[in-house]
Amino acid sequence: MPLFSHLDLFLFSLIIGLVVYWFMSRKKPEPIPEFKKLDTPAPSTRETSFIEKMKKTGKNIIVFYGSQTGTAEEFANRLAKDAQRYGMKGMAADPEEYSMGELSRLSEIPNALAIFCMATYGEGDPTDNAQDFYDWLQENDDEDLSGLNFTVFALGNKTYEHYNAMGKYVDKRLEDLGAKRIFDLGLGDDDGNLEEDFISWREQFWPAVCEHFGVEASGDESSIRQYELKVHTDLNMNKVYTGEIGRLKSFEVQKPPFDSKNPFLATVTVNRRLNKGGDRHLMHLELDITGSKIRYESGDHVAVFPTNDSALVNKLGEVLGVDLDVVISLNNLDEESNKKHPFPCPTTYRTALTHYLDITNPPRTNVLYELAQYASDPKDQENMRKMASSSPEGKSLYQNWVLDACRNILAILEDMPSLKPPIDHLCELLPRLQARYYSIASSSKVHPNSIHICAVVVEYQTKTGRVNKGVATNWLKNKLVNGHKSTVPMYIRKSQFRLPFKASNPVIMIGPGTGIAPFMGFIQERGWLKQQGKEVGETVMFFGCRHKNEDYIYQEELEDAEKNKVLTQLNVAFSRDQDHKVYVQHHLKKSKEPIWKLIHSENAHIYICGDARNMAKDVQLAFYEIAEEVGGMTRTQATDYVKKLMTKGRYSQDVWS
């Protein structure tokens, strides 16, 4: 027999073949290629050193602003512009954009001065953009600011508990750290006449600065332009802003996270009238936030970016005799400024007046002063300049003719036919249209993909016979749900207005009218906690409206919550359903014994939402009286007791003026 069969030979050949194939097909290790290092320019980073920027641009005055609604920023820009008239050079600065630890280096610049225009937000809090600066001031006890010259102008509202708290804190803290105050703290009261307070302070401030530094005013009172106009004739329309707040085309391609510079376009899914009768329009809207990754808590605020009424915008175009669809840019003459444009550019005048500029509020005196040069009638020129002065006659004229008559820029142009300003200068001077904040009327535990808003439409007749309409509420009212997709640019602002950490703590909620908004969220959340089997403390609601049959909003929801024992007590005051007025504070006093027991013995948390000027003060007074009558305290003790509740976070207010 042969040594190997045919099968053996075949298998042997196959094995040899596979071995050869394996050796031949093995890849040699590839040499790692050497990459030539490319000389790419470093990405341009924003200058965070205000000292270096001031040195580079020859500035000696810096005006920091803590601003929530734009007014403090506006005042800062005016002061920075003023500096030129006094032979100095100023710049406005957002503290969020700079390293505030450099304040101690300001002495490196001759005749340097830091001005702080600081608004107070909420319950004595810093504005969002001043939060880091506030934290820095609190944390740095060893900071030596002895070389810093400073002054502070505070913006606040006397109807609030913590009037001008932020401005007062900055003023005192800078002094504690060794800085030198060169002019007294200015206090602006928005409940009175903030503009007048600012002008009066400013008129005394500049002479004091000149005296301190030994400089003389240049006497140049002429208008100083900050931006120059560029008209675009052949620009690709894809590069033109059409209402976006930050990034171009951000409304077409939405990218989280969403915030004040990158709002989310939420679809309106519900828009219904809440009141059954009466001449007002109270409304409930629901915004869909599905897929946005937006998270909110009961008590937070939703900020919306409204647009101006197109009829107003068109009228402005007619009065000024301009084509509103021209594509323009307003470019800062100071090339080193962080603020390249007053609003997103390039854009059209129509877009600027619709989305970016405030055309409904009475213009401030600096706008009138700068526009006066464009009045052909000398009498109009004189009156406009007079209104911008600090003379008693000028203040009175501005108060009566502009503020009391609620004249916006269009009304002023209509009532002064000789005034024909160039539209680009007008756009430079008008303040930015601001986001509007609403207390969220839902709980994310129950509505994770929806945010509810409760608001009353603002509309009133002025002394001149014109009808003025609230920008945001009328815009929201017209966001109809009828097959056409209505959207609202929005973001969330976190709040301290929070339900107690322990669900077993009782809560006392006082919210007449649309002040009920956050409490709808609180009630939904307490109901959800009950369903989860949690022990939930007493939940007491004091609501108020004018007439039971007209504006008892959310009546069905409130009565259902009471029936289901989510609300343990529902008290409703109908102020005009009887001869004498009955308000929430009267019902509060009626329940004084059980209310005092909840507060004093059961650790109840008190929440108040609504009008700051009257309601919040009257309710606070009612609590003082309850502490006196049931708790046996003196008025001083009662006041201290309520203040301690506030300090402990057991007396919270979400109020507006």
Side-chain angles (χ1 to χ4, degrees), residues 273-290:
R273 184 171 178 158
L274 285 170
N275 50 319
K276 304 178 197 80
D279 53 3
R280 297 185 305 158
H281 184 98
L282 292 108
M283 58 191 173
H284 171 90
L285 287 95
E286 297 183 14
L287 310 180
D288 186 3
I289 56 167
T290 305

Side-chain angles (χ1 to χ4, degrees), residues 485-497:
K485 190 179 176 184
S486 290
T487 55
V488 170
M490 52 72 67
Y491 69 95
I492 299 299
R493 187 181 195 277
K494 294 293 174 191
S495 159
Q496 300 300 315
F497 202 71

Side-chain angles (χ1 to χ4, degrees), residues 319-527:
V319 169
L320 294 169
V322 293
D323 177 2
L324 294 177
D325 296 310
V326 173
V327 179
I328 58 110
S329 286
L330 286 177
N331 300 322
N332 202 321
L333 290 163
D334 177 2
E335 290 177 6
E336 295 296 329
S337 173
N338 278 1
K339 192 175 180 180
K340 302 299 178 193
H341 315 282
F343 44 78
C345 289
T347 190
T348 64
Y349 286 125
R350 185 181 303 282
T351 300
L353 293 169
T354 304
H355 294 270
Y356 300 138
L357 297 171
D358 183 344
I359 61 172
T360 57
N361 273 314
R364 298 198 185 277
T365 59
N366 66 304
V367 177
L368 302 180
Y369 182 85
E370 298 252 356
L371 294 182
Q373 61 187 307
Y374 303 115
S376 55
D377 184 336
K379 188 72 183 155
D380 286 347
Q381 265 198 37
E382 186 193 334
N383 281 335
M384 289 178 80
R385 289 204 170 105
K386 194 184 283 178
M387 284 190 276
S389 75
S390 59
S391 71
E393 189 188 353
K395 284 180 179 177
S396 173
L397 185 61
Y398 177 70
Q399 182 69 46
N400 297 330
W401 198 77
V402 178
L403 297 182
D404 294 347
C406 301
R407 275 186 173 89
N408 57 30
I409 191 63
L410 176 62
I412 286 169
L413 291 168
E414 286 176 336
D415 294 346
M416 273 190 180
S418 91
L419 180 61
K420 298 286 180 193
I423 189 168
D424 61 294
H425 198 178
L426 183 64
C427 288
E428 175 180 323
L429 292 169
L430 289 173
R432 283 290 295 266
L433 181 60
Q434 298 294 323
R436 304 309 204 255
Y437 298 94
Y438 296 95
S439 302
I440 296 175
S442 53
S443 164
S444 59
K445 300 285 191 292
V446 182
H447 299 283
N449 294 315
S450 179
I451 285 171
H452 300 183
I453 294 175
C454 165
V456 59
V457 175
V458 176
E459 190 172 309
Y460 58 93
Q461 190 165 31
T462 71
K463 287 180 178 177
T464 65
R466 293 178 173 91
V467 173
N468 277 9
K469 295 180 176 183
V471 177
T473 53
N474 280 277
W475 170 75
L476 285 170
K477 180 188 174 186
N478 292 318
K479 292 284 174 186
L480 303 175
V481 184
N482 53 7
H484 172 70
K485 190 179 176 184
S486 290
T487 55
V488 170
M490 52 72 67
Y491 69 95
I492 299 299
R493 187 181 195 277
K494 294 293 174 191
S495 159
Q496 300 300 315
F497 202 71
R498 288 276 183 269
L499 277 168
F501 181 71
K502 281 186 182 173
S504 56
N505 282 121
V507 299
I508 300 162
M509 305 173 289
I510 301 136
T514 55
I516 196 172
F519 303 134
M520 294 309 296
F522 281 14
I523 292 164
Q524 288 172 16
E525 191 143 326
R526 301 280 271 191

